[in-house]
């Protein structure tokens, strides 16, 4: 006879937080949302933290390089989707790592013999308006000049005009010497009112660019997460099929953290993938695994060497795994059990393994519930898919702006590796849908509102850190009647609320 679990499978909507004592220290400006995302030993610090507990889902319709850049600037992290060729994913990772590093390797370069037409084509391809002109057109060739948008006029100049005829030549450039500090480079930029500063070695070879906008951007985004070289931090999704080649190339491209992307993480395929990474790279390469919904799944991946473990099966807004296969668990119930297993494991071994809640978020307050129930951070798809920075089209449908949003288990994504059960079979039936989500505008504007709600809720709980929230939050089950009571009722609402 099958094993029956006595507890009902519950969702976040079935719980509420009980207010705690709000002291004078409980104000939003004093609330910290910093959280570890990789395992660490008791008494030590995790190798990677994020400044807000949000990561974007490993999905074609959510996480490309543009989302990764925007979210890292705001303190979170993106896992660039893996359901694309290895080279395409690697290129997205490189774009994030090169976006802001203080010292930026030039990704747009030409020779003096190229034409204005080549300049325009390169700008359209890369998005970069500052082009290094080197003797061989490489990123580290001998610097002969630079071209920016101020050096030509598309409407008047002949497209066959040679670069050497309109570039700013080397003798008119102000350059920094290789080895100059970032602070010194920024001082040169400000002193000479420059937009960019080429950094060259003793042989006049181009090494890097330092950009004024990066300095200003850092001031605008104080929560920005970056590595030791001042480059934005980025994650990448992998599967259990081509991981040997994919992981190698992603690590070479600079990916800071990986995550095995699967609807069911309690599998020998994930252990084999983790074994390969640990054997090849030791603990240097950080990799999460999942998804699981109970203690057994957590312990299996913990012993296999996962740096974090993702919780949730079937709770995503576009996921129909439960409908198709009858597999899954209410997100709240799954998270509570896995968090208890994580805490027991920590007490027993001294190793703390962060858990990521993936799915089930409908309202912003669900995020606080997930964190109070034990999640260290939250992965979201629908939430981020609504923004300008997601890779999908903005469309008008029935008089309203929407953005496309589809699941990795849909026929559109064809990401059969995510639902791999071994063998040679590909995707035979869908576990995700193709849909629209209401368009919401810029990520930063919306994220600021969400973070404001989260911090305000934490203040009402009497806490100012995520660790304190886990330890001190009080949570209650609610009845169906009290759920109705919690919203506007018995009135005629004048206008839509945010």
């Amino acid at each position: 006879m099958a094993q029956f679990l006595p507890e009902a499978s519950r969702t976040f909507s079935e719980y509420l937080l009980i207010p705690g004592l709000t002291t004078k220290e409980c104000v939003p400006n004093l609330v910290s949302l910093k959280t570890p995302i990789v395992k660490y030993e008791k008494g030590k610090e995790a190798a990677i933290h994020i400044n807000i507990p949000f990561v974007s889902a490993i999905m074609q319709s959510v996480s490309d390089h543009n989302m990764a850049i925007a979210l890292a600037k705001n303190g979170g992290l993106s896992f660039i989707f893996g359901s694309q060729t290895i080279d395409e994913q690697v290129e997205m990772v490189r774009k994030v790592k090169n976006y802001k590093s203080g010292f930026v390797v030039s990704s747009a370069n030409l020779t003096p013999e190229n034409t204005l037409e080549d300049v325009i084509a390169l700008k359209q391809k890369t998005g970069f308006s500052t082009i290094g002109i080197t003797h061989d057109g490489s990123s580290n060739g001998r610097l002969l000049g630079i071209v920016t948008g101020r050096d030509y006029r598309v409407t008047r100049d002949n497209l066959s005009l040679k670069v050497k005829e309109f570039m700013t030549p080397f003798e008119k450039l102000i350059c920094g010497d290789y080895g100059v500090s970032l602070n010194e480079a920024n001082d040169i930029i400000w002193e000479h009112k420059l937009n960019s500063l080429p950094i060259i070695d003793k042989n006049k070879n181009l090494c890097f660019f330092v950009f004024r906008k990066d300095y200003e951007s850092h001031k605008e985004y104080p929560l920005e997460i970056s590595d030791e070289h001042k480059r934005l931090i980025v994650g990448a999704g992998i599967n259990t099929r081509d991981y040997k080649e994919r992981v190698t190339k992603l690590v070479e491209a600079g990916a800071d953290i990986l995550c095995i992307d699967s609807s069911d993480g309690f599998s020998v395929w994930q252990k084999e993938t983790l074994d390969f990474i640990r054997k090849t790279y030791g603990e240097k390469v950080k990799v999460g695994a999942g998804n699981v919904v109970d203690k057994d799944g957590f312990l299996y991946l913990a012993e296999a060497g996962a740096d974090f473990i993702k919780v949730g099966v079937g709770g995503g807004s576009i996921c129909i795994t439960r409908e198709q296969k009858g597999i899954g668990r209410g997100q709240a119930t799954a998270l509570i059990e896995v968090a208890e297993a994580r805490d027991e494991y920590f007490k027993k071994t001294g190793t703390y393994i962060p858990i990521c809640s993936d799915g089930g978020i409908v309202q912003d307050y669900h995020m606080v519930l997930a964190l109070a129930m034990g999640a260290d951070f939250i992965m979201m798809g629908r939430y981020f898919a609504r923004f300008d920075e997601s890779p999908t089209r903005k469309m008008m449908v029935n008089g309203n702006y929407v953005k496309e949003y589809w699941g990795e288990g849909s026929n559109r994504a064809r990401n059969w590796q995510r639902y791999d059960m071994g063998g040679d079979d590909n995707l035979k039936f869908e576990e995700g849908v193709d849909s629209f989500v209401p368009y919401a505008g810029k990520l930063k504007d919306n994220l600021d509102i969400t973070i404001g709600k989260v911090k305000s809720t934490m203040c009402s709980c009497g806490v100012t850190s995520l660790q304190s929230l886990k330890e001190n939050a009080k949570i209650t089950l609610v009845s169906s009647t009290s759920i109705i009571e919690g919203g506007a009722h018995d009135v005629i609402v004048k206008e839509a609320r945010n």
Side-chain angles (χ1 to χ4, degrees), residues 87-102:
D87 288 342
E88 288 172 337
Q89 188 183 26
V90 163
E91 181 60 25
M92 287 189 180
V93 169
R94 284 184 174 144
K95 285 180 178 179
V96 179
K97 299 307 291 185
N98 289 335
Y99 175 79
K100 179 185 185 301
S101 63

Side-chain angles (χ1 to χ4, degrees), residues 175-195:
C175 299
D177 294 327
Y178 181 74
V180 66
S181 71
L182 185 58
N183 284 337
E184 290 170 337
N186 281 318
D187 287 342
I188 295 172
I189 287 174
W190 281 96
E191 180 182 351
H192 296 279
K193 300 179 180 179
L194 306 173
N195 286 324

Side-chain angles (χ1 to χ4, degrees), residues 86-389:
I86 296 174
D87 288 342
E88 288 172 337
Q89 188 183 26
V90 163
E91 181 60 25
M92 287 189 180
V93 169
R94 284 184 174 144
K95 285 180 178 179
V96 179
K97 299 307 291 185
N98 289 335
Y99 175 79
K100 179 185 185 301
S101 63
F103 295 100
V104 181
V105 176
S106 181
S107 298
N109 305 281
L110 293 172
T111 73
E113 296 302 318
N114 283 108
T115 65
L116 176 57
E117 185 176 12
D118 296 326
V119 169
I120 295 171
L122 186 60
K123 182 179 178 181
Q124 290 175 340
K125 179 182 177 181
T126 65
F128 300 128
S129 58
T130 299
I131 298 174
I133 309 303
T134 59
H135 80 286
D136 59 358
S138 70
S139 61
N140 59 357
R142 189 172 71 257
L143 184 63
L144 301 177
I146 65 171
V147 169
T148 71
R150 294 178 299 179
D151 293 316
Y152 58 87
R153 294 181 294 180
V154 177
T155 56
R156 295 193 179 186
D157 292 334
N158 193 316
L159 293 180
S160 63
L161 193 66
K162 293 289 185 73
V163 166
K164 61 185 178 183
E165 297 180 54
F166 61 88
M167 70 180 186
T168 302
F170 179 81
E171 54 269 19
K172 292 186 178 181
L173 295 177
I174 294 174
C175 299
D177 294 327
Y178 181 74
V180 66
S181 71
L182 185 58
N183 284 337
E184 290 170 337
N186 281 318
D187 287 342
I188 295 172
I189 287 174
W190 281 96
E191 180 182 351
H192 296 279
K193 300 179 180 179
L194 306 173
N195 286 324
S196 64
L197 178 71
I199 305 297
I200 58 173
D201 64 18
K202 61 182 179 180
N203 296 317
K204 299 182 180 180
N205 293 316
L206 177 61
C207 299
F208 308 103
F209 276 108
V210 177
F211 293 97
R212 172 188 290 266
K213 65 179 178 63
D214 288 344
Y215 176 84
E216 295 171 344
S217 174
H218 182 69
K219 299 301 181 182
E220 183 181 354
Y221 297 95
L223 296 179
E224 181 179 282
I225 56 170
S226 58
D227 61 21
E228 59 183 357
H229 302 295
K230 305 299 182 183
R231 301 176 301 180
L232 296 178
I233 289 179
V234 62
I238 61 174
N239 60 61
T240 56
R241 285 280 182 160
D242 63 10
Y243 57 87
K244 291 182 180 179
E245 183 181 1
R246 190 176 292 268
V247 169
T248 299
K249 290 193 173 182
L250 287 171
V251 170
E252 290 174 354
D256 299 279
I257 184 169
L258 307 175
C259 182
I260 306 172
D261 184 28
S262 174
S263 64
D264 178 11
F266 195 3
S267 76
V268 67
W269 314 116
Q270 293 221 358
K271 183 178 186 303
E272 288 181 353
T273 304
L274 290 167
D275 285 345
F276 165 78
I277 293 173
R278 292 294 171 245
K279 182 179 179 180
T280 307
Y281 299 100
E283 297 296 325
K284 181 180 178 181
V285 171
K286 306 302 180 183
V287 55
N291 288 19
V292 300
V293 294
D294 64 2
K295 177 179 180 179
D296 292 340
F298 171 85
L299 292 176
Y300 182 80
L301 294 179
E303 293 299 331
D307 283 294
F308 70 86
I309 294 173
K310 204 142 63 77
V311 180
V313 173
S317 61
I318 41 71
C319 183
I320 54 174
T321 295
R322 298 180 194 174
E323 178 182 317
Q324 291 281 55
K325 296 171 63 175
I327 293 289
R329 198 176 196 185
Q331 187 67 10
T333 301
L335 185 56
I336 291 168
E337 179 173 326
V338 173
E340 289 175 349
R342 184 266 321 276
D343 292 344
E344 291 175 6
Y345 188 85
F346 180 49
K347 290 179 182 178
K348 179 181 177 180
T349 67
T351 300
Y352 185 91
I353 303 178
I355 57 177
C356 170
S357 179
D358 179 17
I361 301 295
V362 180
Q363 306 293 340
D364 285 356
Y365 80 89
H366 291 168
M367 301 174 192
V368 188
L369 278 168
L371 296 166
M373 289 174 178
D376 294 279
F377 57 106
I378 303 166
M379 178 172 282
M380 295 181 288
R382 180 192 62 85
Y383 178 86
F384 290 111
R386 304 172 301 145
F387 303 145
D388 287 324
E389 293 82 359

